[in-house]
Amino acid sequence: MVTDCKACPLRRHEIFQKMTREETEKTQRFKSGELAVDPGTPILAEGSNAPQIYTALRGMGLRYKVLSNGRRQVVNFIFPGDFIGLQAGLIGEMGHSVEASTHMTLCVFDRKDFYDFFRNSTERAFDVTWLAASQEHFLGEALTTVGQRSAIAGVAWALVQLFRKGDALNMVQNDTMPLPFKQQDLADALGLSLVHTNKTLARLRERQLASWSEGKLVIHDVEQLADVAGMELEQMRVRPVI
C-alpha cells in the first residue's frame, strides 16, 4: 500500500520539520506513488532526463559519478528522508547517477508537476531550496576533506557524518548503527585506494575509535573521533522532508 503523507514514518523523527496540514495535503497531491527497488538497482543515470524525482522513504543508496576511465567518485550516501533527482527537476538532466545499496522504498513525484508545486506552495518551494543549499554546503565540506584532510582524518570525518545522520534517524542503538555500504564505496567517496581505506579503518579500530564490519558501524565516542577528523560537532539542523 502507498504510504499516506499524513502517516509518513519519517515525520516521527525530530530531525525533520513539522508540517502543517495544508503543507501535508499539498505534498500528498504532488506525490504520484511509490517505487520499491532491490539492492544494486539504478534509480537515476547521469545525463538522463528522468520524468520522476524521489524521496527516500526507506533504505539507503549512493550518489556517484563515473569517469571516462571507469573510475568512480561517490558524491554522497543516501539515507531515508533524502530528496533525489533535484538536478533533473531543475536543469533537465542528472549530473550524477543514483543506485540503491539496500532494498529501498521511494516516494515518487512527477517532474512535470514540479513547477506547479513551486508556484502553489511558497513554503514547500523554500524547503526544496533549503535542501539544495544544504547539499551544496555538504559538498563543500566533502571537497575540503578530499583535498586537505589526511587519510585517517578523512575516514574519521566520513564516519562521524554517517553516524550522526543515522543517529538523527534513530538508527543507532548501543553505539551501533547499520551501515550497509562497502568499504570500496567509502574509498571512492574519499579518493583513496581500497587498501589504504582498509588500513586506515584498521588503525581507527586499533585505537578503539571506530569499528566497521559486517554492515555495522560502532562508535563509542563521537567527539573523540571528531577530534581526529579535525572537525567541530555542530548541532544537527532540523530540516524539511518532501
Side-chain angles (χ1 to χ4, degrees), residues 13-16 163-172 236:
H13 301 300
E14 294 183 359
I15 192 63
F16 295 119
F163 193 82
R164 296 191 76 206
K165 193 167 184 179
D167 191 29
L169 294 167
N170 298 327
M171 296 169 62
V172 175
M236 297 287 287

Side-chain angles (χ1 to χ4, degrees), residues 47-50 53 85-96 111 114-115:
S48 65
N49 189 7
I53 49 183
L86 182 60
Q87 287 182 340
L90 292 177
I91 63 177
E93 69 176 38
M94 290 295 296
H96 57 262
R111 186 160 64 90
F114 196 58
Y115 295 105

Side-chain angles (χ1 to χ4, degrees), residues 4-5 63 67 176 193 201 214 225:
D4 190 300
C5 290
R63 291 184 175 97
L67 305 181
T176 303
S193 69
L201 287 167
E214 299 181 353
L225 191 60

Side-chain angles (χ1 to χ4, degrees), residues 19-33:
M19 293 168 56
T20 66
R21 184 173 67 177
E22 182 181 7
E23 290 170 343
T24 303
E25 291 173 349
K26 287 179 179 179
T27 305
Q28 183 69 62
R29 290 194 295 270
F30 182 37
K31 180 177 175 178
S32 62

Side-chain angles (χ1 to χ4, degrees), residues 117-129:
F117 182 63
F118 260 48
R119 183 166 53 247
N120 296 328
S121 180
T122 304
E123 296 83 2
R124 298 267 70 195
F126 178 82
D127 288 344
V128 173
T129 305

